[in-house]
Amino acid sequence: MTNGFQIVVCGSLVPDPLQTLEPVTTPQGPGLKNETMLPSVLDPWSAHALFEAAHLAKQVAGSKVWLVSLGPKAKLQQLMMTVAQKVPFELVALDGSASGFTDAHGVAAALADAIGAIPGLDKSRLLVFGGCASASRDASVTMQLVGERLGICDQFVGVDEIHVQADGAFSVLERIEGGEYLASTCAGAPAVLAWATGNLPEPPNNPQIGMGNMRGVMPALQKAKPAAVGVGGIAYAKTEIPAQKRQTRIVKDASTDEIAREIVEWIRQ
Amino acid sequence: MTMKDVSQTITMLPGDEIRQIMWRYADRFDMQMAVMGARSVARGLIARLVADGERNTHDWTDAKNRMYQAFDESGITAAGLDMAYGGIIDGPRNLALSLISYELAWVDGGAATTSLVNNLALGPIVEKGTPEQREKYMRACMPPAPGEDRKIWRGSFALTEPLPYVGVDTGVVSGRVSVAEWEEGKEPILQVEKRGRFITNMAVANFITAAVDTEDPRIKTSCMVILEESDEGVFDRGTPTHKLVHQLSNTADPIFSLKIPASRIVGGYTIKEGVIIPNLTHSEIIEAVFSRTRVGVGVMSAAKLLSAVEPLIRYQRGRFRGAAGIEAGSPRYDLGLQMKEDALHRLADVWATGEAAASLGFEISRVYDQLTLIEKEAHQIFEAQGVTGGRALMKALRKPQSDAIEMLRLMAQPEGARDEARIAELKADTLVQFVWLSAVGNVLCPACKLWDTGYGANMLREAVSLMGGYGITEDCPGFLFQKWTDAQLEATYEGPEVVQRRQISLTMNNEVFLAQIELWVAELRLLGAAKPETGATALAEGFELWRWMLAFIGDAKDANGRPLSQSQRHGVLFPMADAISWLLAVRSFIADVQELAARGPEHPVIGPEIAGYINTLTDLGHMQVARAAGEVGRIGAELVYGYAAPAEQAGEAGSAFQKLRAKMEGSLAGSRLAKDRVGKALSQVMIPEALDYPL
């Protein structure tokens, strides 16, 4: 691996999961109550992908990370005040809806076009990262569709780990049923990796990284191209949030042994 | 007057986009990033420390010590440094540091204090130190870059000292410096004896900036010196202070008996006829540096009040859920205590106080940012004019003062009828700007510290009471009990309330400040005429009444023939200081709401929702105007009638006062309806499912 990877991470904003998320019907289709005002975070699945991308770029000399984000650009700008402080990247912004109800095909088309238009992109070095799902609505198909549009056949979904070898080949662990992993080996880029949680903690905010990123973030936001994504041809018969099911007890000062015993009993049931 | 009975109200509590406009940092990405960095530490590590009971001891634990690393990594430490030394804020930093205090105090005031102390220690060096001192200590305080193996230095500031019986007097320094060795042709070595009291950061400090006086005839004046932990002698960190509050800051009573080179005198020294003459006395440094650091403390109390709103709403709504017979979907299930007007109105009072307190704190922070830029230029002008010393300076300021008054009075005239060219000319004058901003700052700063922390503490008690029995438990969401009790310290350190009242009682008489009030009154009258729902007219009448009261006490004598305006007559002057603080806080809030009204509609995110925010915040301001006007009327009545003989009614003055008071109170029409609407909005506003920090 002489020139490093070009790692493009697809990721955008979702409403802060702690907020009250109440589905409503809008003239544009389904949405969330007070959606524009809801504070946003980087979609947690994409966030894992971004942190893994930065980690990989650090390990493989000559690598670079882009973050391709589709969302209302004013909201993206706000999001960048936090995300830009995490890891170094170059932003490619697309101005459009980040709603969880948009059609994944339309979103994938916009993302693939934006990736294809990145100047100097070398497909032989390209790794496309993203989340295997989204916290806003779990269609779980966007990354695969992006890969198809870019003509990338090597796709891995639910990735928790990547190990790169000296020649650029890499092995990947993908989550499968029953807490097991599927281990695969890939000859090298290009590939699509839709990440699960990965293994890395969220990096602390680093203002120096933030200031470095912001030099590119603001111009990227200013020249963000509009992306006409929406509900598309999907007809939503009904939208609702999953019913809460809580079986929580608050117990203070329980010993580790007691907690362990209770968990074992529960598993045995 | 048009007053809509049904109008759009807020849909959610104000978020970042709203605050960035109100507090004027929407175009400052460096500040927005600093806010996010501070927030991640506050709602992460710091909240975890509080939730884990780390506040239950005044000892400085390893867990608490982790805050420093978090401050370094997130840019909080660097926010107090120049860009050349790894800083992250370009230009003056008052607003940025206030915003960081706000974010940290949202969770814990002690942690906010810990974040500020290093800046306090560095302050004298940054502002008044020699180039060598600045280079050495700012570089030492730079957080190490990733991979860099260097220990960061942390500082403490030691001004306060134990004095027998009377506590402390910052004007009298008992720390002593004397010449220990002075060999011919070499740098003098000084002996420093200093005992500190309530000194924050002592558990970790590597250097101390300490105020010392001298009885040694070979040293001319008092000064500030820099002490290092490796200096020869005693560097005793002292006994930890047994604080019941702010346990996330470390405080002790240290003892120093150290030998240091004379080059550690802050700002340097000269030698004349065998005498060391410090270039700056300790009081010159303190006046220059510490007049502004109080603002961050006021902002802390404001943050705590605003942080209480969401947990209170959640508590009120969920109060009866789970009880027998309370069905989901019933009003008691959905609204809980919010079915009752009293719960809503009292919550509205907490919220309005927090808004006014924050607006005042951020306004004075912005004034100081402006002043920081102007004063350097002003001092250069004075230097070029050969102006040195107090008397010469006062003489040199006479013309700019009279120009500033002229400018403010011109600005108070209606647009179109005033001399714009002259206003522009005066505004462009550095010295006019200097005296104008100084006069405003000299009242707003102590007013912020006094009102935000003092009245803020009272309203935090109210917030705790609104949680019922839950409020005094360690499980209370939002740590409200800790926030309330912490506020008592905030009202005390960096100058207790009496010191702030004393300062206001002097600075409120500045003619430039009084001309500024004339301008505010004119602006508020215009606003009140255009938007009566703001309560601006009543606020204008409040300022008018206060001005009349100031003139009244200037001339009046009590029934025993003693003048009311004697400078030590605290019973008269201090209530006047309280009264102006009430008015200033709500004026700042109204100004922020008007800024939102002007710039909010064009904002792509909040634009569609802006009407609701402006309506509710306007109502909140209006009800706070009524509260402030009530205080001014009450204080005025006590001063006008209270010093008259029992049989008298204060004569003509009484009639004039009654007329003005009646005019002010008559302008309060609609303020209580505004409170009703705020209450209704609070019962409908959407809040998150859970607090975004652990309990």
Side-chain angles (χ1 to χ4, degrees):
Chain A
M1 195 70 208
T2 51
N3 295 321
F5 290 115
Q6 292 183 333
I7 311 168
V8 179
V9 182
C10 302
S12 187
L13 50 88
V14 294
D16 182 341
L18 288 176
Q19 297 290 328
T20 302
L21 306 177
E22 192 180 323
V24 292
T25 302
T26 74
Q28 291 78 39
L32 295 173
K33 189 176 176 185
N34 301 324
E35 187 160 355
T36 56
M37 296 301 295
L38 288 169
S40 303
V41 295
L42 181 62
D43 195 325
W45 306 95
S46 309
H48 295 303
L50 180 63
F51 306 150
E52 293 284 350
H55 181 68
L56 180 59
K58 223 174 179 181
Q59 288 179 320
V60 181
S63 298
K64 181 177 174 179
V65 177
W66 285 262
L67 175 63
V68 179
S69 265
L70 194 170
K73 68 177 176 181
K75 303 261 310 175
L76 281 179
Q77 181 178 315
Q78 193 62 44
L79 180 72
M80 287 302 134
M81 297 306 150
T82 304
V83 175
Q85 296 192 60
K86 300 290 180 188
V87 293
F89 61 80
E90 183 177 324
L91 178 70
V92 177
L94 296 168
D95 189 14
S97 169
S99 162
F101 299 101
T102 48
D103 176 14
H105 286 79
V107 172
L111 292 174
D113 288 350
I115 294 169
I118 291 174
L121 197 74
D122 177 357
K123 213 168 164 187
S124 69
R125 299 164 58 199
L126 177 63
L127 294 179
V128 181
F129 280 20
C132 68
S134 166
S136 61
R137 191 174 60 88
D138 197 358
S140 299
V141 296
T142 310
M143 290 311 299
Q144 294 92 315
L145 293 171
V146 170
E148 291 301 321
R149 284 180 174 272
L150 291 171
I152 301 173
C153 303
D154 290 330
Q155 300 191 358
F156 305 92
V157 178
V159 178
D160 263 347
E161 205 170 288
I162 180 171
H163 274 297
V164 179
Q165 291 150 23
D167 62 353
F170 55 84
S171 57
V172 172
L173 289 184
E174 289 170 278
R175 288 186 185 183
I176 53 174
E177 292 293 320
E180 301 283 326
Y181 278 115
L182 172 65
S184 310
T185 306
C186 185
V192 170
L193 281 81
W195 285 82
T197 58
N199 291 307
L200 300 174
E202 180 175 340
N205 285 8
N206 183 327
Q208 302 297 344
I209 290 175
M211 286 194 294
N213 280 339
M214 286 310 283
R215 280 192 277 275
V217 164
M218 296 316 291
L221 287 166
Q222 276 160 7
K223 61 183 182 194
K225 286 186 182 155
V229 294
V231 173
I234 305 170
Y236 287 90
K238 192 181 175 191
T239 56
E240 61 183 11
I241 48 172
Q244 282 188 358
K245 192 177 175 186
R246 282 193 180 151
Q247 293 177 324
T248 308
R249 283 187 301 130
I250 297 173
V251 183
K252 284 202 165 182
D253 306 325
S255 69
T256 316
D257 286 345
E258 281 175 79
I259 296 168
R261 189 165 50 246
E262 198 172 321
I263 291 171
V264 169
E265 279 171 19
W266 177 76
I267 292 170
R268 281 179 180 154
Q269 285 169 15
Chain B
M1 184 161 72
T2 55
M3 188 84 73
K4 279 188 261 177
D5 290 326
V6 181
S7 59
Q8 192 180 341
T9 58
I10 52 165
T11 47
M12 296 173 65
L13 292 171
D16 286 317
E17 290 92 349
I18 299 278
R19 294 309 189 191
Q20 286 160 9
I21 295 174
M22 288 178 73
W23 299 336
R24 328 291 163 86
Y25 66 104
D27 53 355
R28 289 294 301 266
F29 305 120
D30 50 353
M31 291 192 195
Q32 290 178 31
M33 283 199 292
V35 164
M36 290 304 173
R39 187 176 298 170
S40 69
V41 175
R43 302 185 196 193
L45 172 66
I46 292 169
R48 190 73 266 159
L49 291 174
V50 182
D52 287 348
E54 284 290 326
R55 288 190 50 148
N56 296 341
T57 173
H58 47 70
D59 289 331
W60 195 245
T61 63
D62 289 343
K64 293 180 190 179
N65 209 45
R66 282 166 47 212
M67 281 194 303
Y68 287 108
Q69 190 185 346
F71 290 163
D72 296 345
E73 288 175 351
S74 64
I76 293 171
T77 308
L81 302 173
D82 287 356
M83 294 291 275
Y85 299 98
I88 57 168
I89 304 298
D90 199 4
R93 299 187 280 265
N94 296 283
L95 178 58
L97 292 176
S98 288
L99 288 164
I100 288 172
S101 291
Y102 178 90
E103 286 299 331
L104 296 175
W106 186 273
V107 176
D108 189 85
T113 299
T114 299
S115 82
L116 291 175
V117 170
N118 208 53
N119 300 332
L120 205 60
L122 269 178
I125 301 168
V126 171
E127 297 297 328
K128 299 289 177 185
T130 63
E132 295 76 21
Q133 289 167 347
R134 282 171 56 86
E135 171 68 18
K136 176 179 177 180
Y137 293 98
M138 286 185 94
R139 199 161 288 288
C141 290
M142 272 173 66
E148 188 185 359
D149 184 19
R150 174 172 58 82
K151 185 184 168 192
I152 184 174
W153 277 30
R154 307 195 194 281
S156 277
F157 171 70
L159 170 65
T160 321
E161 304 173 325
L163 295 180
Y165 309 116
V166 292
V168 294
D169 180 347
T170 53
V172 180
V173 173
S174 65
R176 288 289 176 265
V177 60
S178 57
V179 175
E181 301 160 24
W182 194 346
E183 288 180 39
E184 185 67 32
K186 287 191 177 173
E187 185 181 20
I189 302 295
L190 308 178
Q191 176 68 35
V192 174
E193 303 291 337
K194 175 83 180 177
R195 296 175 67 123
R197 188 183 191 204
F198 294 157
I199 306 303
T200 303
N201 240 15
M202 272 319 304
V204 296
N206 310 101
F207 71 98
I208 319 289
T209 39
V212 283
D213 206 346
T214 183
E215 288 167 346
D216 189 330
R218 289 170 294 173
I219 302 176
K220 173 114 180 175
T221 63
S222 74
C223 59
M224 295 205 72
V225 291
I226 307 165
L227 311 176
E228 295 182 8
E229 61 180 340
S230 58
D231 287 332
E232 181 189 339
V234 176
F235 187 98
D236 182 344
R237 295 180 184 276
T239 316
T241 308
H242 293 189
K243 287 182 299 182
L244 291 169
V245 296
H246 272 219
Q247 293 94 340
L248 292 192
S249 66
N250 62 82
T251 310
D253 296 352
I255 301 166
F256 307 109
S257 176
L258 298 166
K259 278 195 171 68
I260 60 166
S263 60
R264 299 270 195 80
I265 294 174
V266 176
Y269 63 96
T270 50
I271 294 175
K272 202 172 170 187
E273 294 168 1
V275 175
I276 298 168
I277 306 171
N279 292 340
L280 297 156
T281 66
H282 90 279
S283 51
E284 281 171 330
I285 295 175
I286 288 164
E287 196 181 318
V289 176
F290 298 105
S291 58
R292 294 168 197 186
T293 53
R294 289 168 282 177
V295 176
V297 183
V299 169
M300 283 184 207
S301 298
K304 294 191 295 182
L305 285 159
L306 291 176
S307 78
V309 176
E310 183 195 313
L312 281 168
I313 294 173
R314 188 175 293 105
Y315 168 76
Q316 289 178 336
R317 287 185 191 164
R319 178 67 181 82
F320 303 124
R321 289 176 197 171
I326 306 295
E327 299 295 331
S330 68
R332 275 169 76 81
Y333 183 93
D334 288 338
L335 290 171
L337 290 171
Q338 293 203 329
M339 291 173 70
K340 304 293 181 190
E341 187 173 275
D342 180 67
L344 293 167
H345 277 197
R346 287 178 188 280
L347 176 54
D349 285 331
V350 172
W351 185 15
T353 306
E355 291 288 351
S359 290
L360 179 58
F362 290 122
E363 177 164 21
I364 180 60
S365 303
R366 295 192 301 272
V367 167
Y368 279 152
D369 275 352
Q370 285 178 273
L371 189 56
T372 302
L373 296 171
I374 291 286
E375 70 187 345
K376 280 184 185 158
E377 251 181 86
H379 288 306
Q380 283 166 358
I381 293 171
F382 292 138
E383 211 170 294
Q385 291 174 349
V387 176
T388 52
R391 197 166 289 179
L393 187 63
M394 281 177 72
K395 198 175 162 195
L397 286 174
R398 261 182 227 146
K399 168 90 171 49
Q401 264 165 350
S402 110
D403 285 348
I405 292 166
E406 181 193 348
M407 179 189 74
L408 290 164
R409 289 195 173 140
L410 282 171
M411 287 164 74
Q413 290 174 11
E415 261 183 73
R418 63 193 182 194
D419 186 346
E420 299 289 355
R422 178 68 178 149
I423 292 173
E425 183 191 347
L426 291 168
K427 264 191 179 174
D429 186 322
T430 302
L431 294 184
V432 171
Q433 287 272 344
F434 176 67
V435 295
W436 176 26
L437 294 170
S438 299
V440 172
N442 286 340
V443 182
L444 257 60
C445 174
C448 166
K449 175 66 167 60
L450 171 67
W451 193 83
D452 282 22
T453 62
Y455 185 63
N458 295 346
M459 291 310 286
L460 277 161
R461 192 211 66 83
E462 184 80 7
V464 171
S465 77
L466 288 174
M467 282 278 185
Y470 205 17
I472 52 90
T473 68
E474 62 182 29
D475 302 322
C476 176
F479 311 133
L480 296 191
F481 187 84
Q482 290 96 328
K483 286 174 180 169
W484 166 39
T485 51
D486 281 352
Q488 185 53 46
L489 176 57
E490 286 142 29
T492 303
Y493 75 152
E494 294 233 29
E497 288 156 282
V498 62
V499 170
Q500 311 308 326
R501 290 189 174 105
R502 174 74 179 144
Q503 187 185 348
I504 298 169
S505 71
L506 298 171
T507 56
M508 68 187 181
N509 298 298
N510 184 323
E511 290 295 330
V512 179
F513 176 68
L514 295 175
Q516 173 68 74
I517 290 188
E518 282 178 46
L519 174 57
W520 282 336
V521 167
E523 289 171 347
L524 287 166
R525 286 197 193 289
L526 277 179
L527 177 64
K531 299 178 182 174
E533 67 275 15
T534 58
T537 303
L539 183 56
E541 301 301 346
F543 274 117
E544 289 285 35
L545 182 58
W546 183 87
R547 278 205 313 168
W548 179 90
M549 283 155 53
L550 192 69
F552 165 75
I553 61 172
D555 296 334
K557 292 180 178 173
D558 67 16
N560 298 321
R562 193 175 156 212
L564 294 186
S565 59
Q566 282 177 337
S567 79
Q568 294 305 318
R569 197 127 198 205
H570 299 166
V572 178
L573 299 179
F574 285 12
M576 286 294 291
D578 289 334
I580 192 66
S581 301
W582 274 95
L583 296 170
L584 292 172
V586 71
R587 194 212 67 82
S588 294
F589 180 34
I590 287 178
D592 283 353
V593 178
Q594 290 314 302
E595 178 75 6
L596 183 66
R599 294 189 55 198
E602 69 199 33
H603 192 284
V605 173
I606 59 175
E609 301 287 336
I610 197 67
Y613 284 91
I614 292 169
N615 286 343
T616 301
L617 292 172
T618 297
D619 283 338
L620 207 57
H622 197 172
M623 52 171 271
Q624 187 64 18
V625 166
R627 188 76 186 78
E631 283 296 313
V632 176
R634 178 188 64 77
I635 289 167
E638 288 189 29
L639 297 183
V640 173
Y641 301 118
Y643 287 102
E648 292 177 9
Q649 289 295 313
E652 279 181 32
S655 307
F657 171 73
Q658 282 170 16
K659 218 179 264 178
L660 283 169
R661 185 177 183 181
K663 200 173 172 196
M664 177 185 74
E665 292 176 347
S667 310
L668 296 178
S671 59
R672 218 54 194 180
L673 291 170
K675 193 169 196 172
D676 282 348
R677 287 193 294 273
V678 172
K680 191 175 172 196
L682 281 167
S683 72
Q684 294 173 342
V685 68
M686 189 172 96
I687 59 168
E689 288 286 332
L691 264 190
D692 62 353
Y693 53 92
L695 305 176

